[in-house]
Amino acid sequence: EAGVAQSPRYKIIEKRQSVAFWCNPISGHATLYWYQQILGQGPKLLIQFQNNGVVDDSQLPKDRFSAERLKGVDSTLKIQPAKLEDSAVYLCASSFLRDRGGYTFGSGTRLTVV
Amino acid sequence: GENVEQHPSTLSVQEGDSAVIKCTYSDSASNYFPWYKQELGKGPQLIIDIRSNVGEKKDQRIAVTLNKTAKHFSLHITETQPEDSAVYFCAASNGGSQGNLIFGKGTKLSVKP
């Protein structure tokens, strides 16, 4: 099966600019996650979708981050305005069932804010 | 909320030796414990997982053990090979209905030929 697709692979922006990341999960996976991975750390959950509804966005900095999952398939994560501390790899993952674990991660988007 | 501690942060072994990475968790309600391998420039890849109703699970050269009483679990890699070199993450589900994973900070494993 095809994996989780993410784009772009790399992005460099100046602080206060905006940026958007795109994710296409594995076909049939109802649950989609966005994680932030700062260099040298483990991934940290930003938001979880079940189909096109938000299940958990408690860790999402809502003053600058937003995410949507239209039609329960693709998802976009946006940052506006970006800060230097947003430099990280943004990982998208999907799973078939919400409480069965077994996430499949994409390769991520490496964001550098200068 | 759940907190996952992982040790060591770096581990260097000779090819053929065994490697052990240990994690502890704080939430006794956690019931799912996966291990991920992350190679440079790639996303984490699930290599093995264990649920709280099982004490040990093995898949070829990789095994995971779980001690629910002590709230710790470990990854064991035997007969290490250079291609095992990567960053390994443990994780725990935070219980409840969301099933979100809380990750440790990772262990960079280097296998020297």
Side-chain angles (χ1 to χ4, degrees), chain B residues 3-67:
Chain B
N3 183 52
V4 177
E5 299 283 344
Q6 182 172 348
H7 299 282
S9 56
T10 61
L11 179 60
S12 182
V13 300
Q14 288 294 133
E15 182 177 0
D17 287 350
S18 295
V20 180
I21 303 170
K22 299 181 179 181
C23 289
T24 60
Y25 61 99
S26 61
D27 188 349
S28 56
S30 289
N31 57 12
Y32 176 68
F33 307 92
W35 286 88
Y36 285 84
K37 175 183 180 182
Q38 187 172 29
E39 296 174 321
L40 201 61
K42 297 183 179 180
Q45 179 186 13
L46 179 69
I47 56 172
I48 196 167
D49 57 11
I50 192 167
R51 297 191 179 273
S52 59
N53 58 346
V54 175
E56 183 175 359
K57 184 177 179 180
K58 189 174 182 180
D59 183 5
Q60 298 182 3
R61 296 185 297 108
I62 294 173
V64 58
T65 59
L66 171 65
N67 183 327

Side-chain angles (χ1 to χ4, degrees), chain A residues 68-86:
Chain A
E68 62 181 6
R69 189 182 184 197
L70 299 177
K71 300 180 181 178
V73 182
D74 293 4
S75 177
T76 56
L77 176 69
K78 297 179 182 178
I79 307 175
Q80 181 180 11
K83 293 185 175 181
L84 296 177
E85 57 262 36
D86 297 332

Side-chain angles (χ1 to χ4, degrees), chain A residues 6-7 21-23 32-36 44-49 60 67-68 75-77 90-93 109:
Chain A
Q6 289 189 248
S7 67
F21 313 125
W22 173 83
C23 172
L32 184 147
Y33 312 82
W34 282 102
Y35 277 81
Q36 179 193 58
K44 179 186 127 182
L45 180 71
L46 292 175
I47 189 168
Q48 178 191 4
F49 292 93
L60 189 73
E68 62 181 6
S75 177
T76 56
L77 176 69
Y90 290 85
L91 295 163
C92 179
T109 296

Side-chain angles (χ1 to χ4, degrees), chain A residues 5-78:
Chain A
Q6 289 189 248
S7 67
R9 288 283 282 129
Y10 306 93
K11 191 74 177 178
I12 301 175
I13 62 172
E14 295 183 350
K15 59 183 179 183
R16 292 188 289 275
Q17 285 187 325
S18 63
V19 64
F21 313 125
W22 173 83
C23 172
N24 179 240
I26 291 174
S27 178
H29 280 195
T31 310
L32 184 147
Y33 312 82
W34 282 102
Y35 277 81
Q36 179 193 58
Q37 185 176 24
I38 293 173
L39 186 64
Q41 297 184 19
K44 179 186 127 182
L45 180 71
L46 292 175
I47 189 168
Q48 178 191 4
F49 292 93
Q50 180 72 11
N51 296 308
N52 61 344
V54 175
V55 174
D56 184 356
D57 63 356
S58 58
Q59 305 267 28
L60 189 73
K62 297 180 186 64
D63 58 334
R64 298 183 301 106
F65 286 64
S66 65
E68 62 181 6
R69 189 182 184 197
L70 299 177
K71 300 180 181 178
V73 182
D74 293 4
S75 177
T76 56
L77 176 69
K78 297 179 182 178

